[in-house]
Amino acid sequence: MIVALIIACEVGFWVLLAAGLALRYLAGKPRLGAAVLLCEPLMELVLLVVTTIDLKNGAAPDWKHGLAALYIGYTVAYGHYTITWLDRHAAHRFAGGPRPAGAGYGKERARHEWKLWVRTVIAAAVALTLLQGAIWYVGDAGDVSSLRAWQSGALRVVGIHALVAAAYTVWPKKAPAAEEERPSLAKSR
């Protein structure tokens, strides 16, 4: 049941996001669209409550509970960022807004990657807190090795993402050469 709820929350996230943006930009109802977008966190709250009830009713803690904690952590850290990013693109595409800036190149791109890493740290911190709460809640009565494994996994993700951000710092992404500077294939023939 927990896995089905996680899938429903993910599908619900995208459905609410599409509906909210459609209301804002296609239907011309920005306040109603914003209200729909504000419903997003309610799904994670439902997931948290159902997961807690599942554990309270004696379910053995397993990978499903760990996945729910990581999903909630990811949504807390990246949910608003994703909505804002898509909102800027929808405003550009459907409402004549300015073209959204990309992640950039060089130091600007490295800074962007480190900001994303901070979001990953926040996601992991939320997941670790929820997992530790579940471990304390279950106590010595149950096997919590699965939850501890998810904690280790969250820390590994933080480490891997740090390596990705460091790679952009050490080997910065270079801007593509301008069109005028590129040799034309037609001129070289």
Side-chain angles (χ1 to χ4, degrees):
M1 179 171 109
I2 300 292
V3 174
L5 187 56
I6 293 169
I7 292 168
C9 285
E10 181 65 14
V11 170
F13 174 84
W14 292 105
V15 168
L16 284 175
L17 185 57
L21 294 175
L23 286 168
R24 285 182 83 155
Y25 298 110
L26 299 178
K29 300 185 182 280
R31 294 181 84 178
L32 182 58
V36 169
L37 291 174
L38 287 173
C39 292
E40 299 270 357
L42 295 177
M43 291 185 302
E44 279 65 36
L45 184 60
V46 168
L47 179 59
L48 179 61
V49 168
V50 169
T51 304
T52 304
I53 290 171
D54 190 44
L55 288 172
K56 182 178 187 265
N57 289 339
D62 60 12
W63 66 272
K64 296 177 291 232
H65 301 99
L67 180 62
L70 258 59
Y71 178 79
I72 292 169
Y74 179 85
T75 304
V76 167
Y78 280 95
H80 184 263
Y81 173 81
T82 302
I83 292 169
T84 303
W85 185 85
L86 285 170
D87 187 49
R88 279 191 222 122
H89 284 272
H92 170 67
R93 175 96 167 125
F94 300 115
R99 182 179 182 90
Y105 303 97
K107 289 180 183 178
E108 181 184 348
R109 177 61 183 258
R111 239 184 329 275
H112 173 76
E113 294 299 327
W114 283 110
K115 287 178 183 177
L116 290 179
W117 176 78
V118 169
R119 289 186 180 281
T120 300
V121 169
I122 293 168
V126 169
L128 290 168
T129 301
L130 291 173
L131 289 164
Q132 190 60 44
I135 289 168
W136 288 336
Y137 185 73
V138 171
D140 296 333
D143 178 22
V144 293
S145 60
S146 173
L147 300 179
R148 293 214 186 276
W150 280 98
Q151 285 179 319
S152 298
L155 293 173
R156 277 194 302 276
V157 167
V158 169
I160 291 168
H161 199 164
L163 292 174
V164 170
Y168 275 101
T169 303
V170 175
W171 299 288
K173 184 175 180 181
K174 295 181 179 151
E179 279 299 316
E180 307 86 49
E181 297 173 6
R182 289 187 194 163
S184 171
L185 287 177
K187 291 181 183 176
S188 63
R189 289 185 185 188

